[in-house]
Amino acid sequence: MRFILLVIPKGYEQAAPDAMPDAEIFARMAKYNESLKQAGVLLALDGLDPPSTGARVSFPGGKARVTDGPFAEAKEVVGGYWIIQTRSREEAIEWARRAPMPDGDVIEVRRIQEFEDFPPEVRAAASDSANA
Amino acid sequence: MDGNPPAPATSAEVHRAIDAVWRIESARLIAGLARIVGDIGIAEDLAQDALVAALERWPESGVPDNPGAWLMAAAKHRAIDVLRRRTRLDRKHEELARELEIGRETGDPDLDAALDDPVGDDLLRLMFTACHPVLALDARVALTLRLIGGLTTPEVARAFLVPESTLAQRIVRARRTLSEARVPFEVPRGEELEARVSSVLEVLYLVFNEGYSATAGDDWTRPELCHDALRLGRMLAEFMPAESEVHGLVALMEIQASRLRARVDASGNPILLLDQDRSHWDQLLIRRGIAALDRAAALGGMLGPYALQAAIAACHAQAATADETDWERMAALYDALAQLAPSPVVELNRAVAVGMAFGAEAGLEIVDSLSSAHALEGYHHLPAVRADLLSKLGRREEAAAEFARAASLTRNGRERQVLLARAAANEGPES
C-alpha cells in the first residue's frame, strides 16, 4: 500500500513568499527523512513553496478561473509531503507519529488509490482512452 | 473534529498499532539484542518476549511515545535474566549482565547509546547472518523475511505457500545450524565480503521473483512480496552505498516492480511485457530505478550482472511503445550479460532480443543450439520462446506443438491458459 503524508504547517496559509524553515527544524527533518530511507519505505518527498506564490484554479460553473495567492479564505494549506510504501494503514500512521513536527502542525495520512481498486469496467475505459 | 474528544482506541486498534510498531522496530530490536547476546535465536526470543509484554501493557497504557525504546528496555530486562540463568554462565556473560544491570540502574547514557545504536552495523550484521551460506537457500529466505522483514511465521508461510508448521521447523533448524556452526554475528570483510554480499542479494531477488511471477499457486503475482524485497534492498543500499551490485539489484527490482500493475489483466491473467499497456507502468518506480542504476554506474568499474539486467529493464522502460524498443542495444546488453554470467536462461533471453533485432531466424538459431545441448529441459519458457519464433516464421504447426508443450510444463495455472490459447491460435487455417 502507498500512502501520502500531507504536511499542513500551522499558519502556512499566511507565510511570506520567501518563508523557509529554520535550520534546526531542517536538521531534525533531514534526520527523520534519513530514517524513512533507511527503513526502505520512502518513495518520494517534497516541500512546497508558500501559497502566496501559488495560484488557485477554481471552476465556477465548470469554467476555469485563476486566483493568485495568498488565499484569504484558506484555513489549512499543504506545505509538503512524503510518499511511503507500507504493509498497512497503521504502519503509515506510525511513521507519521514519528515526524518531528513543531507545535500545531498537522500530518494528514491518505492512502494512494491503486489501479486495482477500480472495477474492471473503469479500468478498461482508462486503458482504452490511454491507447486511443 | 475540534470539540469532540478522541474516541478511546479499541483493543483491535491497539493490536493493529502494535503490529505496525513491530514491523518498524523488530529488525533493529533483534539486531541490537543479537550483538549483546551473540546469538540471533536468543535475540529473537528476547524480542518476542518484549512484544508479549507490549501486548499486555499497551492496550491499558496506550502506545508509548517512543515504542522502540520501550521494547528495547523490556528486552534488556529479559536479557539480564537470561544471561544470569544460562547454565554455561562464563565470565563474559556475567560481566555483560552486570554492565547491563548497572546501565539499567544508573541509566548510563553511554551504555544506553551503545545498546540503542539505531542503525547501520547491527542491521547489516543481522542481514549477513540470516543469509549466511551455511544455511540452505530456503532457510535464508525464511530467516531474512522474519528477522529483517518483520513478517510473522504465518505471513512467510503464506507467501511461499508452505504449511506454517513446515516453515516454523525450517526456522528452528536454521537457528540451530547458525548456533552449531558458531557463525559470528558480524559483517564479513576483505575477500569474503563480495561472495557474502552476493548471498544476500540472491535471497532478496528470490523473494522478489516469487512475488513477481509466482512459481506455484493460481495468482500470477504477489505484489506484497515484491515490495518486501524492495524494502530490504533499499535498506541494504543505504547501509552499503559503495557496493555497486546492491544498487544494481535495487534498480532491477524498482524497474520490474514498475510493471506489476500492467502484468495482469482484469481477470488475473498474465500479460507479457511487449503486450503491456505502458501507460500503467509506474513512472515513480522507473525514475527510482534509473537513479539507482546511475548510482551503480557512478561507482565505476564494469557493471555487474544485476546492474546489467537493470540496464536491460531500463531499456524497456524508456521505450514509449514496444515497437520503439532498441533491440540492438538490448541484444548487446544480453551479450555482455552472457559473457559475465553465462547461463541457459540468459542465452534464451538473448535469443529473444536477437530475434527482435536481427530476425526470427537468428533468434531460432540460438534457441536450437540450447535445445540440442539439452539445456533447460523441462523449463516452459524454452518451448514458449521457440514457439513464438516459429510462429513468426510461419511454421504454424510446429509453433502450435511447442506452445502446447510449454503449457504442459508450467506450474502456474494462469500462464498455462495463455499458452494453450496461443497453441490454439496456431492451429487450423491462418486467421
Side-chain angles (χ1 to χ4, degrees), chain B residues 44-69:
Chain B
E44 201 195 352
D45 289 343
L46 289 168
Q48 288 285 346
D49 288 344
L51 176 65
V52 170
L55 285 165
E56 284 168 8
R57 300 276 289 280
W58 294 0
E60 290 288 319
S61 65
V63 177
D65 282 343
N66 189 341

Side-chain angles (χ1 to χ4, degrees), chain A residues 1-2 34 37-43 85 87 90-91 94-95 97-98 115-116 120 127 130-131, chain B residues 16 20-21 23-25 63-64 67 119 224 227-228 231 234-235 238 261 277 279-280 282 285 288:
Chain A
M1 293 179 209
R2 277 181 198 196
E34 197 55 30
K37 269 168 88 176
Q38 287 177 343
V41 296
L42 182 66
L43 295 183
Q85 176 102 40
R87 271 207 164 220
E90 286 74 16
E91 195 186 332
E94 183 58 34
W95 279 113
R97 266 167 49 98
R98 293 166 186 228
F115 192 56
E116 299 77 43
S127 295
N131 294 328
Chain B
R16 280 200 301 272
V21 167
R23 178 143 164 98
I24 295 171
E25 297 293 343
V63 177
V119 282
E224 282 291 284
H227 295 310
D228 282 326
R231 188 165 68 94
R234 293 179 191 134
M235 207 189 247
E238 285 294 313
R261 60 187 173 197
D277 179 348
S279 70
H280 293 163
D282 188 320
L285 293 185
R288 292 183 56 90

Side-chain angles (χ1 to χ4, degrees), chain B residues 293-314:
Chain B
L293 186 55
D294 288 346
R295 278 194 288 277
L299 286 165
M302 291 248 299
L303 289 185
Y306 287 118
L308 275 174
Q309 291 175 78
I312 290 165

Side-chain angles (χ1 to χ4, degrees), chain B residues 104-297:
Chain B
R104 179 168 71 179
E105 280 159 8
T106 61
D108 176 350
D110 281 352
L111 186 66
D112 277 346
L115 291 172
D116 294 336
D117 170 28
V119 282
D121 280 358
D122 283 347
L123 275 174
L124 271 183
R125 288 188 190 107
L126 188 59
M127 258 195 204
F128 278 106
T129 308
C131 295
H132 196 278
V134 74
L135 299 169
L137 192 55
D138 59 0
R140 282 186 244 162
V141 167
L143 276 188
T144 301
L145 285 177
R146 240 186 87 96
L147 299 180
I148 306 125
L151 269 66
T152 62
T153 297
E155 280 171 337
V156 182
R158 254 200 316 281
F160 285 88
L161 305 171
V162 297
E164 256 180 73
S165 55
T166 309
L167 200 96
Q169 271 299 316
R170 196 176 287 168
I171 287 167
V172 169
R173 254 193 322 241
R175 280 167 47 159
R176 196 185 308 140
T177 304
L178 286 175
S179 165
E180 283 170 4
R182 297 182 179 277
V183 168
F185 187 67
E186 63 182 24
V187 176
R189 287 175 197 284
E191 283 174 17
E192 205 195 344
L193 182 65
E194 198 183 332
R196 294 284 303 280
V197 169
S198 298
S199 174
V200 175
L201 298 181
E202 184 186 13
V203 168
L204 298 188
Y205 198 39
L206 189 143
V207 172
F208 183 87
N209 271 322
E210 190 52 35
Y212 198 60
S213 37
T215 55
D218 282 333
D219 288 326
W220 169 238
T221 61
R222 288 202 286 279
E224 282 291 284
L225 216 44
C226 293
H227 295 310
D228 282 326
L230 252 172
R231 188 165 68 94
L232 296 177
R234 293 179 191 134
M235 207 189 247
L236 189 61
E238 285 294 313
F239 298 134
M240 303 198 93
E243 289 293 317
S244 166
E245 273 291 81
V246 175
H247 297 294
L249 177 61
V250 170
L252 176 60
M253 294 194 292
E254 300 268 18
I255 299 175
Q256 288 190 323
S258 77
R259 302 185 204 124
L260 267 169
R261 60 187 173 197
R263 299 187 86 220
V264 211
D265 70 14
S267 23
N269 296 310
I271 306 173
L272 298 176
L273 194 149
L274 296 176
D275 301 328
Q276 288 169 11
D277 179 348
R278 294 181 181 222
S279 70
H280 293 163
W281 288 0
D282 188 320
Q283 295 300 321
L284 172 58
L285 293 185
I286 290 174
R287 276 202 304 280
R288 292 183 56 90
I290 290 172
L293 186 55
D294 288 346
R295 278 194 288 277

Side-chain angles (χ1 to χ4, degrees), chain B residues 291-423:
Chain B
L293 186 55
D294 288 346
R295 278 194 288 277
L299 286 165
M302 291 248 299
L303 289 185
Y306 287 118
L308 275 174
Q309 291 175 78
I312 290 165
C315 199
H316 282 299
Q318 284 163 324
T321 64
D323 290 341
E324 289 168 64
T325 310
D326 184 349
W327 286 109
E328 289 189 24
R329 174 171 161 74
M330 208 69 104
L333 287 167
Y334 272 115
D335 270 343
L337 185 59
Q339 284 172 32
L340 197 61
S343 85
V345 173
V346 169
E347 202 58 10
L348 184 60
N349 283 310
R350 190 169 77 87
V352 175
V354 166
M356 297 298 280
F358 309 112
E361 198 75 56
L364 192 60
E365 215 172 284
I366 301 174
V367 176
D368 284 343
S369 68
L370 276 171
S371 305
S372 59
H374 299 286
L376 298 174
E377 278 179 355
Y379 182 62
H380 66 281
H381 284 306
L382 179 67
V385 168
R386 189 155 189 276
D388 186 60
L389 292 165
L390 287 167
S391 169
K392 282 181 181 142
L393 291 168
R395 292 160 66 177
R396 292 162 45 77
E397 243 173 82
E398 292 165 89
E402 286 289 76
F403 275 127
R405 195 156 72 89
S408 71
L409 290 172
T410 181
R411 283 163 62 204
N412 187 290
R414 302 283 195 185
E415 197 175 20
R416 186 176 308 122
Q417 287 170 10
V418 171
L419 290 165
L420 286 174
R422 294 201 70 187

